[in-house]
Amino acid sequence: MLGALGPGVIAGAADDDPSGIATYSIAGAQLGTRMLWCSLLTWPLMGAVQMMCARIGMVTGRGLASGLRAKLPRGVLVFLVTGLLVANTVNVGADLSGMADAGEMLTGVDSHSLVVLFAVGIGWATIRLRYSTIARTLKWLAAALFAYVVTMVHVKPDWGAVIGDTFIPSWPSSRTEWATLVAILGTTISPYLFFWQASQEVEEIRRIPEDKPLRHAPEQIRRQLRRLRLDTIAGMGFSNLIAFFMITATAATLHAHGQTQIQTTEQAAAALRPIAGDAAFMLFALGIVGTGMLALPVLAG
């Protein structure tokens, strides 16, 4: 089972990047546990979209952009990919900023220096290291997200409210709640994940000599799709579970103590310290750096 986990788990874990952490932290701080039901809603939505994109890569043996190029006029393709490039570039900047801020809080090193250090280091690794090395490293980096599981357990949330708001959706009743719902949907179902997982399925085919694109090797369909389903469902479930933990942790600490006006991951981590203690602060900040190391190669790739 562990051997089957790969592209889907990496894509799901990369979805919880520093800018995503900021979104979930703001949701928990502003609205408490009211938006926890979104985690159940987005799991099947993410799973369906990622499954389609992964199948395109697995069947055709080429990435999503190449598949679109074969089907769409060039002008439409350029427009779509340019939009993706702009969105990813902004996202990379936001993630680098979040990582550097967390790094400064942990080490005391100026965040402007850390931005350059993180960018150069991750850029070098993405360009110079072999695919198999990066994929194996990213797979294990996903464990950094368990920092938020430990944080949530450490802060002891109100489990009655958590269970109720998870399984009984509350219709948004204010502009803030509608904006938060849109933000959660936008940060959870992200276009860069579509491209990444399709491309990574192609890389997996190239990495394993006996595997071939399914249109050329129909006898492999049953085995490959079984792995794909397990990997994608587990990866998207993991992504939404971590988002659930982030919202719960900030709801049980920041929202419960009236700290509702936060805008960044740095503010969320700093606000946690006097409320939940140094351990929660350290775990939260380390998680931001770890998820940035995981997400940035995916975004840049």
Side-chain angles (χ1 to χ4, degrees):
M1 179 178 174
L2 288 174
L5 302 181
V9 167
I10 294 172
D15 190 40
D16 295 321
D17 61 342
S19 58
I21 294 170
T23 300
Y24 300 132
S25 299
I26 291 168
Q30 289 186 340
L31 303 172
T33 57
R34 282 179 58 84
M35 305 304 291
L36 282 178
W37 58 272
C38 293
S39 300
L40 289 180
L41 171 69
T42 52
W43 184 10
L45 298 180
M46 282 183 74
V49 176
Q50 292 299 130
M51 196 90 72
M52 285 190 286
C53 295
R55 284 183 183 216
I56 289 171
M58 187 178 283
V59 171
T60 64
R62 57 189 180 190
L64 202 55
S66 296
L68 290 171
R69 185 173 60 189
K71 297 290 183 182
L72 297 176
R74 181 175 177 81
V76 175
L77 176 68
V78 169
F79 174 76
L80 292 175
V81 175
T82 301
L84 180 73
L85 175 65
V86 173
N88 281 5
T89 303
V90 173
N91 212 346
V92 165
D95 286 351
L96 279 171
S97 176
M99 288 174 67
D101 288 340
E104 181 176 13
M105 297 173 76
L106 289 168
T107 64
V109 177
D110 181 62
S111 62
H112 294 87
S113 302
L114 289 176
V115 162
V116 176
L117 182 65
F118 284 137
V120 171
I122 294 171
W124 177 87
T126 304
I127 294 166
R128 297 297 301 170
L129 297 182
R130 294 177 62 84
Y131 164 77
S132 57
T133 304
I134 287 187
R136 187 167 54 248
T137 304
L138 293 180
K139 198 170 171 180
W140 286 107
L141 265 175
L145 289 165
F146 282 103
Y148 299 105
V149 181
V150 180
T151 302
M152 190 202 72
V153 173
H154 178 73
V155 299
K156 299 180 178 62
D158 178 354
W159 288 108
V162 168
I163 293 170
D165 287 332
T166 300
F167 294 102
I168 304 173
S170 55
W171 190 256
S173 58
S174 67
R175 177 177 292 185
T176 299
E177 290 183 21
W178 278 111
T180 304
L181 175 60
V182 171
I184 289 174
L185 291 174
T187 198
T188 304
I189 305 173
S190 302
Y192 71 89
L193 301 179
F194 309 163
F195 284 78
W196 167 263
Q197 192 167 351
S199 296
Q200 203 177 11
E201 292 294 349
V202 176
E203 294 288 353
E204 287 291 308
I205 290 171
R206 293 172 180 166
R207 184 176 67 86
I208 303 172
E210 60 269 24
D211 285 353
K212 299 287 185 293
L214 295 185
R215 63 176 178 174
H216 300 308
E219 70 279 1
Q220 297 182 7
I221 287 175
R222 186 181 297 275
R223 175 176 62 86
Q224 293 283 31
L225 291 186
R226 187 187 305 120
R227 180 197 65 77
L228 174 66
R229 279 193 292 269
L230 174 63
D231 185 27
T232 304
I233 291 170
M236 300 311 113
F238 179 59
S239 174
N240 285 278
L241 191 64
I242 296 300
F244 173 90
F245 288 136
M246 290 179 198
I247 293 173
T248 304
T250 49
T253 50
L254 305 184
H255 182 78
H257 290 80
Q259 296 266 16
T260 60
Q261 298 305 312
I262 63 166
Q263 299 298 325
T264 64
T265 49
E266 180 186 16
Q267 291 173 356
L272 268 178
R273 189 173 221 161
I275 297 170
D278 287 343
F281 161 77
M282 289 286 289
L283 282 167
F284 197 87
L286 283 169
I288 293 168
V289 176
T291 56
M293 298 288 285
L294 169 68
L296 278 170
V298 177
L299 270 165

